[in-house]
Amino acid sequence: MRSSLFYSLMALMLTWAQAALAQSSLPRQVWIQLETRLNLEASLDSIEIYARDLDNVNGFEINGGWFGVAIGPYDPEQADAALQKFRAEGVIPRTSFTTTGASFGARFYPPAVATQPAPDTDRAPNTAPQTAPPTEEPAAEQPISPAEQLEQAKASESAMTEAEKKYLQRALAWAGFYESAIDGLYGSGTRAAMKSWQYANGYNATGVLTAAQRAELIADYQFLLAGLGFEDVVDAQAGIALRLPSALLAPASYDPPFATYAAKDTDTDTGLAQVILISQRGDRDRLAALYEVMQTLSILPETGPRNLAKSSFTIEAYDDRLHTTGFATLQGGEIKGLIFVWPRGDTARRARVEEEIFTSFTSLSGTLGEAPILSAGLTPQESLGGLTVRQPSFSQSGVFISREGHVLTAAQDFSECGKLQLQDGLPLSIAAQNAELAVLVPTQDAAAPSIGQFETRRPYAPQYVALGGYSYGGKLGAPSITMGQLQALTDLTGRAGVSRLEIDSLPGDIGGPIYDHYGSVIGILLPPPPQGSRQLPANVQFMANWPLISETLIAANAAASTETETVKLEPVDLANLAQETVALISCWP
C-alpha cells in the first residue's frame, strides 16, 4: 500500500520523461529506482549494501542536489517483472519503482575507469585507430518556474490515495510539525504543517509538498526503521493483520490466548523485543479477567499507567530493562489486541516501531482456541499462554491480628524487598520487627476476613497442633493445614519463649500460625535455624510463643484478640479457620 505513495511521488519525473521521449512511443530502457538520498556519502553506503546481492547497481545525480540509487537498465517489457521479483525476494525496498531515468544526471557509480585501447597489430602502418562514437549525454533539463513547480506539486498530490495522505500526515507529526488528527484530509492544519516543514528545510513555503519534498520527509520518517525489514503479515490463526519487523522477529508460536513473535537473536540490543497478539472469544467478564491475569506477566513491569474500560484496556509498563505497551478491544464477541515489548533506553526507535505496528493493526475474522486459564477462572502461577509469570523473591505466611489487616509473621530479611504485598496486591509496611517476629501494616484501607484468637497461657507439651500456611507459596490459591506435635516448651538450648515442634513444614509455611485443638493461636512458625556442621532432622521446627509475640505487639503499638474457644475442632474445621485467618505475604524485588 505504501509503495503506491512513491509512484505518486515520482509522477513529476515520469511526466518529464514522457516529454523528453515524445518521438518514441516506448522508452528504449527502464531503470528500477531503489531510493533517493540527500548526500553522496549516504548513497554510496546504500550502494555498497545493495551490491552484495545485485550486480547492476548504479548511482545518478538528480536535480535539486539529490542522489538516486537504481538498478538496470532493463527492457521495458521486463522491468515490472524484475521489480516484483526483487521485492518478493526482499533485496530491494517495497517503495522501489520503475522509471525511464529522464531525471537522472551524471552517473557517480560505478566510477568511470579510463582504459587504453590494445595495440592493433593487424592495422596498416600510419593508419589512425578507429574511435568509438561519443556517448550520448542526457539532455540538460530546463528549470521550471515556481508557479509551474507548484502546479506540478498539486497535480502529483491529487493522485495520492487517502492511505498515502494519512501516512504523510504521520510523517509530519513525527517530524514535529503536525498535531491534528490523522484523517487523510489536507485542511488548514495540514497545510500549515507543510509550510512549516518547507520553511524549516529551506524550501519555498507553498503549503504543497513537491514529489521530491515528500520523498525527503518520508525518508526521514522511515530512517529509524532501516534494517528491521517491515512487511505486511496476515496471521490467519489469530485473525489479525499488521506490519511487523520480520528481520527482527521469529515466526509466531501459538499458546492461546497469545500468538508470540519473539526476537530471533536474543544476544543483540533488541533481543528483548516481542510482539504478542491477543486473540480469544470472550465477553466483558473475560476481557476483565484477561486484563487482571496479564498484570502478573514478567513482560509487564509494575510501573506505568494502565486502564480497564467496559470493552477495552490499555497498558503501558516499564522498568530499567523493558518498555511494554499494549491494548485489547472487545467487539462482536472477540477480544483482539497486542502487546509490544522493547528494551528500555531506545526511546526514539521504540516509538517509531510501535507506531508502525499499532497503526497497521487490523482485526480479521477468527480467533485462537480456548485459553484454559480463562475458561477455568484460575490465576496463573508460572505461565500464561507460554509467557512467564512474574515471581516474588520469596513468599511466606502470617496471621491477621486486626480487622484493619495488620499481620503478625516471622522476621525475615525484608531489606531485599522493593515491595511487600498481601495476596490481593495490597501493599504492606513494617510496623515493628525484632530477631524473631514482625508486624506488617497495610498502607491502604483494608479489611481482614477474620482474625486469629491467641492463647496467652503457657501451653503444655506434648500435644497435637496444626500449622496453617501457604505451604506452596500461594499456588493452591488457599492456605493448607499440616498436623504435627508440640514437643517441648523451649528450644534445644533451653531458651524460653521458643518452643520445639515436630512437624513437616515447607518454606511457604514460615510465619504461619500454630493452632491448638481449640483453634487458638499458640505460636508463630519460625524459619529453620542456620545449619552448620550439626544437621537437625527435617521435621524439627520451632515456634515463637506468647511471651515473644506479646513483646512484638507492644513494640508495634498493636493488640491481638485473646478470646479463646472451649470446643475442640475437627481437622476440617481447622482448615476452614485457616482460610479466614492466614495471610500470604510476598516479597517483590
Side-chain angles (χ1 to χ4, degrees):
M1 179 169 59
R2 290 170 174 78
S3 62
S4 59
L5 172 61
F6 280 78
Y7 282 94
S8 301
L9 296 180
M10 300 312 297
L12 176 60
M13 297 180 182
L14 293 175
T15 302
W16 290 340
Q18 292 167 359
L21 300 175
Q23 295 181 352
S24 172
S25 61
L26 189 66
R28 290 172 295 175
Q29 60 185 24
V30 175
W31 304 81
I32 297 176
Q33 187 160 334
L34 308 182
E35 59 181 63
T36 306
R37 294 284 185 171
L38 286 172
N39 60 74
L40 179 61
E41 182 179 357
S43 296
L44 289 172
D45 288 343
S46 295
I47 287 171
E48 181 180 356
I49 295 173
Y50 289 125
R52 297 171 186 170
D53 300 310
L54 302 167
D55 296 329
N56 51 350
V57 182
N58 295 266
F60 295 96
E61 295 180 8
I62 299 177
N63 282 357
W66 290 75
F67 298 87
V69 181
I71 53 175
Y74 294 94
D75 185 282
E77 296 179 354
Q78 299 174 350
D80 285 338
L83 175 67
Q84 298 303 322
K85 174 179 178 293
F86 290 137
R87 276 181 179 170
E89 293 174 351
V91 295
I92 65 173
R94 292 171 54 82
T95 52
S96 304
F97 57 92
T98 58
T99 175
T100 60
S103 61
F104 293 169
R107 188 197 310 263
F108 64 84
Y109 186 90
V113 179
T115 58
Q116 296 294 331
D120 187 355
T121 56
D122 294 330
R123 181 167 48 85
N126 301 322
T127 302
Q130 297 295 318
T131 58
T135 303
E136 181 180 349
E137 294 291 337
E141 297 180 7
Q142 297 298 320
I144 60 175
S145 68
E148 291 175 316
Q149 186 181 51
L150 178 59
E151 288 304 312
Q152 290 173 342
K154 289 180 178 179
S156 64
E157 181 183 89
S158 65
M160 295 172 64
T161 66
E162 179 182 348
E164 291 167 348
K165 290 180 178 180
K166 288 181 179 180
Y167 197 75
L168 198 68
Q169 284 177 324
R170 283 199 291 272
L172 285 167
W174 181 261
F177 296 96
Y178 184 65
E179 297 180 353
S180 300
I182 307 298
D183 54 13
L185 303 176
Y186 283 6
S188 58
T190 305
R191 294 300 176 196
M194 290 182 180
K195 284 185 178 181
S196 297
W197 183 89
Q198 288 172 320
Y199 180 80
N201 288 273
Y203 296 114
N204 185 25
T206 63
V208 182
L209 300 184
T210 66
Q213 290 167 3
R214 293 199 298 270
E216 178 182 348
L217 171 61
I218 290 174
D220 291 342
Y221 179 54
Q222 294 178 331
F223 174 76
L224 290 174
L225 304 182
L228 297 183
F230 265 91
E231 64 179 26
D232 296 324
V233 173
V234 177
D235 193 318
Q237 287 185 245
I240 293 172
L242 73 171
R243 284 176 58 77
L244 291 177
S246 296
L248 177 66
L249 302 178
S253 61
Y254 297 93
D255 195 342
F258 302 130
T260 301
Y261 293 80
K264 289 180 179 177
D265 188 352
T266 57
D267 295 329
T268 64
D269 58 345
T270 53
L272 298 175
Q274 294 185 74
V275 175
I276 302 153
L277 307 184
I278 303 170
S279 176
Q280 189 79 166
R281 294 289 303 175
D283 52 19
R284 289 181 178 178
D285 290 341
R286 181 166 286 194
L287 177 73
L290 177 62
Y291 172 80
E292 291 298 332
V293 300
M294 285 182 63
Q295 306 307 312
T296 67
L297 295 178
S298 60
I299 59 169
L300 265 67
E302 296 185 66
T303 304
R306 53 206 80 191
N307 179 64
L308 172 64
K310 290 183 178 180
S311 58
S312 65
F313 66 71
T314 58
I315 291 172
E316 182 172 11
Y318 43 80
D319 58 16
D320 57 354
R321 292 178 64 251
L322 299 176
H323 193 141
T324 301
T325 52
F327 69 91
T329 59
L330 170 64
Q331 189 171 5
E334 294 182 346
I335 301 171
K336 297 286 185 68
L338 67 83
I339 301 295
F340 171 56
V341 185
W342 197 261
R344 190 75 186 271
D346 190 9
T347 304
R349 187 160 59 149
R350 183 202 63 78
R352 182 66 188 88
V353 174
E354 176 192 281
E355 180 185 40
E356 193 77 10
I357 294 172
F358 279 42
T359 56
S360 65
F361 182 92
T362 304
S363 181
L364 309 176
S365 62
T367 62
L368 296 177
E370 193 75 5
I373 193 70
L374 295 180
S375 59
L378 302 176
T379 300
Q381 297 302 322
E382 297 179 355
S383 68
L384 170 65
L387 302 178
T388 304
V389 169
R390 188 170 57 251
Q391 300 293 337
S393 298
F394 65 84
S395 295
Q396 67 182 57
S397 301
V399 60
F400 289 110
I401 60 173
S402 76
R403 293 292 182 181
E404 292 73 30
H406 291 58
V407 178
L408 176 66
T409 187
Q412 294 271 32
D413 182 8
F414 294 125
S415 62
E416 68 176 273
C417 304
K419 180 168 55 178
L420 282 170
Q421 282 185 337
L422 286 174
Q423 59 263 42
D424 55 3
L426 192 69
L428 298 167
S429 64
I430 301 173
Q433 181 176 356
N434 53 41
E436 288 82 17
L437 299 172
V439 175
L440 307 180
V441 183
T443 59
Q444 302 173 7
D445 291 339
S450 187
I451 60 175
Q453 306 293 328
F454 285 79
E455 173 60 69
T456 61
R457 293 173 299 177
R458 180 181 176 90
Y460 65 89
Q463 66 167 301
Y464 288 103
V465 295
L467 164 64
Y470 284 86
S471 305
Y472 297 94
K475 291 182 179 180
L476 299 179
S480 57
I481 284 290
T482 305
M483 306 306 294
Q485 281 190 329
L486 173 61
Q487 293 286 22
L489 300 181
T490 63
D491 65 9
L492 294 173
T493 64
R495 177 191 177 193
V498 177
S499 301
R500 177 165 57 89
L501 301 167
E502 184 178 302
I503 196 167
D504 293 320
S505 65
L506 294 172
D509 292 315
I510 292 172
I514 305 296
Y515 302 102
D516 63 14
H517 51 257
Y518 297 106
S520 298
V521 179
I522 62 172
I524 299 295
L525 183 68
L526 298 176
Q531 297 286 349
S533 58
R534 183 177 294 106
Q535 300 292 317
L536 298 178
N539 63 351
V540 174
Q541 303 293 337
F542 300 89
M543 76 173 192
N545 51 31
W546 179 251
L548 279 178
I549 293 172
S550 178
E551 291 177 13
T552 308
L553 295 178
I554 292 172
N557 195 26
S561 174
T562 57
E563 298 179 6
T564 57
E565 299 291 339
T566 58
V567 177
K568 291 185 178 182
L569 300 181
E570 297 295 330
V572 64
D573 298 318
L574 288 170
N576 291 334
L577 177 64
Q579 298 236 2
E580 296 295 319
T581 58
V582 178
L584 173 64
I585 303 159
S586 296
C587 167
W588 296 92

